[in-house]
């Protein structure tokens, strides 16, 4: 046996500078197309976009109980104790950014903000400096990298922990929907991961209407796909969620957060 296994002599083993945390939801956000924007419009405009994004994101993180773990260039890593808080925060951010982009368009300014958000829930390891490490964090980062402009993607764990979510009347009311995006290959993970896109239905929306999402407004090339998702959402509202063993090629159906008895 290695006599240094317990440190010097027979003293107690040194306490590691990490600790196990409770269930935490990790949230990553990142500006999309930032390099292209910088090249096209210059450093000054790009810097202004970062400041505007920073103001929007930070204000909503605080409002929904998130803790900023760190910023990485033009992106954020945030920890939430409440999974629903993370999802509601993401929706509020995308709504605020969409409003900001409309304001910019009204001023005929040739620029806009677009961010992707990825969320995962698990039990990451917390370090003494407040940072989080481990598979939960790595997966959240990869999900964020997969999210398109204006898109919110969440892991399967996040979707089931959050369960049914109703938006406050002050926020327009409605219910959150989870669109099954199927099994997605992610860098660094040997097995594909099932991801869900977060959308939201206003209370005044009729059956068959298109769920709200800022990604569609930011990417016209996805408009046709979005209409297909809306029809899928209608079918899912009339039936139970599809079996887990359904082939990935048939993903895109909305798994309604109205399923009873879910969430915490």
């Amino acid at each position: 046996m290695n006599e240094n296994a317990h440190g010097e002599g027979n003293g107690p083993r040194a306490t590691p500078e990490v600790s196990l945390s409770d269930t935490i939801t990790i949230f990553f956000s990142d500006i999309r197309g930032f390099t292209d924007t910088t090249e096209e419009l210059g450093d000054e405009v790009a810097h202004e976009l970062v400041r505007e994004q920073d103001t929007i994101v930070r204000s909503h993180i605080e409002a929904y109980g998130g803790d900023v773990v760190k910023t990485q260039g033009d992106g954020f890593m945030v920890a939430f104790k409440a999974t629903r808080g993370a999802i509601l925060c993401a929706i509020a951010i995308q709504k605020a950014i969409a409003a900001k982009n409309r304001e910019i368009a009204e001023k005929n300014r040739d620029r806009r903000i677009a961010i992707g958000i990825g969320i995962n829930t698990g039990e990451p390891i917390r370090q003494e400096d407040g940072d989080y490490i481990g598979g939960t964090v790595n997966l959240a980062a990869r999900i964020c990298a997969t999210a398109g402009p204006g898109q919110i993607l969440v892991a399967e764990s996040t979707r089931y922990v959050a369960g049914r979510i109703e938006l406050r009347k002050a926020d327009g009311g409605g219910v959150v929907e989870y669109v099954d995006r199927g099994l997605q290959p992610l860098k660094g993970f040997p097995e594909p991961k099932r991801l869900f896109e977060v959308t939201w239905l206003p209370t005044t929306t009729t059956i068959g209407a298109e769920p709200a999402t800022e990604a569609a407004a930011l990417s016209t090339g996805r408009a046709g796909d979005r209409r297909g998702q809306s029809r899928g959402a209608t079918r899912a509202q009339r039936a139970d969620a599809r079996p887990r063993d359904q082939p990935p090629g048939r993903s895109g159906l909305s798994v309604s957060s109205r399923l009873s008895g879910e969430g915490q």
Side-chain angles (χ1 to χ4, degrees):
M1 179 177 177
N2 183 355
E3 64 182 9
N4 292 322
H6 298 284
E8 295 184 6
N10 295 321
R13 180 175 297 177
T15 303
E17 296 184 354
V18 297
S19 62
L20 295 177
S21 68
D22 296 327
T23 299
I24 294 292
T25 295
I26 300 294
F27 166 118
F28 277 92
S29 69
D30 194 25
I31 291 182
R32 295 293 179 253
F34 182 72
T35 300
D36 292 340
T37 299
T38 302
E39 290 295 322
E40 181 180 356
L41 302 177
D43 291 340
E44 184 175 346
V45 171
H47 180 64
E48 185 178 351
L49 284 175
V50 171
R51 287 193 294 104
E52 291 174 348
Q53 181 250 187
D54 186 272
T55 299
I56 291 171
V57 173
R58 285 185 183 276
S59 65
H60 287 94
I61 289 171
E62 181 178 355
Y64 286 92
D67 294 317
V68 176
V69 178
K70 58 187 173 184
T71 57
Q72 301 169 309
D74 50 16
F76 283 81
M77 174 183 172
V78 187
F80 286 85
K81 292 181 179 179
T83 303
R84 295 181 182 184
I87 292 176
L88 290 172
C89 179
I91 292 173
I93 288 171
Q94 296 292 23
K95 283 185 175 182
I97 287 177
K100 185 66 177 180
N101 286 333
R102 288 193 293 269
E103 177 186 325
I104 291 171
E106 290 172 358
K107 296 178 180 178
N108 295 319
R109 299 170 72 182
D110 187 22
R111 63 180 179 82
R112 63 185 179 186
I113 307 170
I115 71 170
I117 297 175
I119 304 174
N120 183 35
T121 302
E123 297 181 348
I125 297 173
R126 184 173 185 176
Q127 298 180 299
E128 284 191 344
D129 61 1
D131 195 3
Y132 289 89
I133 60 174
T136 298
V137 176
N138 296 340
L139 180 54
R142 293 304 182 192
I143 294 173
C144 178
T146 302
Q151 192 174 37
I152 304 168
L153 291 179
V154 303
E156 192 169 17
S157 60
T158 301
R159 180 259 176 276
Y160 286 108
V161 170
R164 175 186 174 87
I165 301 179
E166 293 185 356
L167 302 178
R168 300 175 301 182
K169 290 184 179 180
D171 296 328
V175 63
V176 172
E177 297 283 331
Y178 304 94
V179 180
D180 188 345
R181 289 303 181 193
L183 296 170
Q184 300 291 329
L186 300 175
K187 184 178 179 180
F189 290 86
E191 299 293 334
K193 303 294 183 180
R194 187 171 299 281
L195 302 182
F196 294 83
E197 181 173 3
V198 173
T199 63
W200 49 98
L201 289 168
T203 51
T204 56
T205 298
T206 57
I207 295 296
E210 182 175 335
T213 174
E214 306 311 332
L218 289 166
S219 179
T220 56
R222 295 173 57 194
D225 179 53
R226 185 69 59 197
R227 287 191 292 272
Q229 294 161 14
S230 177
R231 290 191 293 270
T234 304
R235 291 192 297 270
Q237 290 168 356
R238 298 169 181 167
D240 292 332
R242 66 175 177 79
R244 289 288 300 279
D245 59 355
Q246 179 174 316
R250 299 191 59 184
S251 63
L253 299 182
S254 174
V255 180
S256 175
S257 60
R258 298 185 182 88
L259 296 177
S260 61
E262 292 189 31
Q264 291 185 349

